[in-house]
Amino acid sequence: MAETTVYLDYNATAPLRPEVLAAMTGAMAEPGNPSSVHAPGRRARRLIEEARIRVAALAGADPRWVNFTSGGTEANNWALTGLGRGPRLVSAAEHDSVLQAAPEARRLAVHADGRVDLEDLQEALADFGAGALVSVMLANNETGVLQPVEAVVELARAAGALVHCDAVQAAGKLPLDMARLGVDCMTLSAHKLGGPPGVGALICRDGVDLKPLLRGGGQESRRRAGTENLPGIAGFGAAAEAARRDLPLMAEIRRLRDRLEEGARAIAPDLRIFGAEAERLANTSCLALPGRSAETQVMALDLAGVAVSAGAACSSGKVQPSHVLAAMGAGPDEAASAIRVSLGWQSGEADVGRFLSAWGDLYRRSRAA
Ligand code: PLP
């Protein structure tokens, strides 16, 4: 067993950043309820409002648009059930927290490179008309493929539809400018940025009709009642600020990811890299090794001290065929042989070397067998 784990599963969860731990520890020591008018209450309120400003800055949004939630899943469910009253159109490559929140939604096709089919969107908008809600993510969690969200917004606007964008994976990996992107609503999650799990945000532009999610208190502009998760929100704010500061590191992460892919191709000429033809996040690689199941690869790599995932690890403990790869036209065997490698703020050259050495051994063993 290797002593130190090489962690290459940032798209599932990024390691907690030290400044986040400090912010959370400080917030946990605060006795006040942010709704109380006394001094401890006001201190707690200030921490929440500071975090709101930092999260808004990461998203390129107005702080007043930020509604804190219990994570990306809640924010996506809220958007899909609480925005507008018309039909829902969702890309077939969305996260399960979008797909399952609107099971009746019209699924938009995606091309083989993972990008949503804009002609299909145009047809669907013509059928469903004004008042529809379109939900298309900014970056895919399994492949890293970036969606043409600006073009989606343009088509949706022309048809009088609203646009929600799940930016959980894009945040901290790409500069975000919600106002420029033009979307009405955006989802973020703290634990993908080096913040704590169990906290996220639904950021909704002024004037958008968002139905309250929880009633029984005035928190979050009366739209999500309940005493705020103060340590989680303070940690989210610290993570958002650190992620924004670290955006320039993405150039180095891209170099490492490209080196990893080059090394993997040199080992396995029959390798397929999903989404490699499209613009992708700098940190993500989805590799299919024909003839070797993803579960076997993940277990063998784990024994060698390398942590990666098979399919959408953040959605379930057990591995199910990937709906994202299926939507891109992958056959069941190819989709079942894909692993996701995702790098982040602590990744370095040695991690890539350890991955390639362990994966190379696995490849040679599978060929010998
Ligand atoms: N959306 C995407 C694209 C994700 O990758 C995830 C990851 O789990 C989520 C939503 C859900 O976020 P959370 O884990 O905060 O519920």
Side-chain angles (χ1 to χ4, degrees):
M1 226 8 186
E3 325 78 80
T4 52
T5 299
V6 169
Y7 188 78
L8 295 173
D9 204 10
Y10 278 71
N11 287 13
T13 284
L16 201 80
R17 295 172 184 268
E19 52 272 69
V20 171
L21 190 57
M24 293 182 74
T25 315
M28 271 191 264
E30 283 295 341
N33 182 319
S35 298
S36 299
V37 293
H38 48 58
R42 292 200 304 279
R43 276 202 305 276
R45 167 62 49 207
R46 196 172 329 116
L47 290 179
I48 292 201
E49 297 317 318
E50 279 167 9
R52 204 183 300 280
I53 290 169
R54 291 168 164 183
V55 169
L58 179 71
D62 188 307
R64 286 167 305 174
W65 303 355
V66 175
N67 302 282
F68 287 116
T69 65
S70 72
T73 299
E74 181 184 307
N76 281 345
N77 272 260
W78 190 4
L80 269 290
T81 56
L83 269 176
R85 277 162 187 76
R88 267 105 247 273
L89 316 177
V90 303
S91 101
E94 293 305 299
H95 189 262
D96 273 336
S97 54
V98 166
L99 296 179
Q100 292 183 26
E104 78 303 337
R106 158 81 147 84
R107 298 259 175 119
L108 303 166
V110 300
H111 295 292
D113 67 1
R115 286 158 35 105
V116 66
D117 181 336
L118 293 173
E119 280 179 24
D120 193 32
L121 171 62
Q122 214 161 0
E123 273 174 33
L125 285 167
D127 290 345
F128 289 98
L133 171 70
V134 181
S135 184
V136 173
M137 67 202 330
L138 202 46
N140 186 265
N141 43 305
E142 292 183 44
T143 59
V145 167
L146 305 185
Q147 294 295 351
V149 173
E150 282 180 61
V152 167
V153 169
E154 212 177 296
L155 293 173
R157 280 275 165 280
L162 292 173
V163 180
H164 163 253
C165 180
D166 175 350
V168 163
Q169 292 294 344
K173 298 172 190 147
L174 292 177
L176 290 184
D177 186 342
M178 184 172 160
R180 194 183 49 77
L181 209 53
V183 299
D184 298 290
C185 225
M186 183 182 265
T187 292
L188 299 185
S189 170
H191 72 108
K192 313 289 184 179
L193 307 168
V199 58
L202 183 63
I203 308 182
C204 240
R205 202 170 52 67
D206 252 357
V208 171
D209 175 26
L210 174 66
K211 287 205 263 316
L213 179 69
L214 299 173
R215 296 166 202 273
Q219 294 90 351
E220 301 303 292
S221 312
R222 308 203 78 78
R223 299 206 273 210
R224 185 182 185 276
T227 303
E228 297 90 340
N229 169 7
L230 178 61
I233 291 172
F236 188 8
E241 185 163 279
R244 197 157 69 94
R245 175 200 67 209
D246 284 353
L247 276 172
L249 296 184
M250 278 295 142
E252 171 60 8
I253 289 177
R254 181 181 298 278
R255 194 189 66 74
L256 291 173
R257 192 277 312 269
D258 290 351
R259 207 178 85 61
L260 184 146
E261 290 188 347
E262 257 168 52
R265 278 194 207 277
I267 293 167
D270 49 346
L271 179 73
R272 174 167 179 197
I273 301 176
F274 282 99
E277 317 75 32
E279 249 194 287
R280 278 181 301 161
L281 290 176
N283 79 316
T284 307
S285 189
C286 182
L287 310 168
L289 179 58
R292 261 300 196 194
S293 85
E295 277 137 302
T296 317
Q297 294 180 65
V298 169
M299 283 190 286
L301 289 168
D302 187 39
L303 283 174
V306 179
V308 301
S309 72
C314 56
S315 64
S316 73
K318 55 185 186 325
V319 180
Q320 288 172 338
S322 157
H323 67 272
V324 175
L325 303 184
M328 291 166 73
D333 289 347
E334 199 177 19
S337 70
I339 58 167
R340 177 186 66 190
V341 183
S342 51
L343 294 80
W345 63 275
Q346 275 186 327
S347 305
E349 201 77 54
D351 299 325
V352 173
R354 280 269 300 278
F355 170 82
L356 288 174
S357 149
W359 194 77
D361 287 348
L362 171 67
Y363 179 78
R364 283 183 287 274
R365 279 203 305 275
S366 79
R367 284 297 163 269

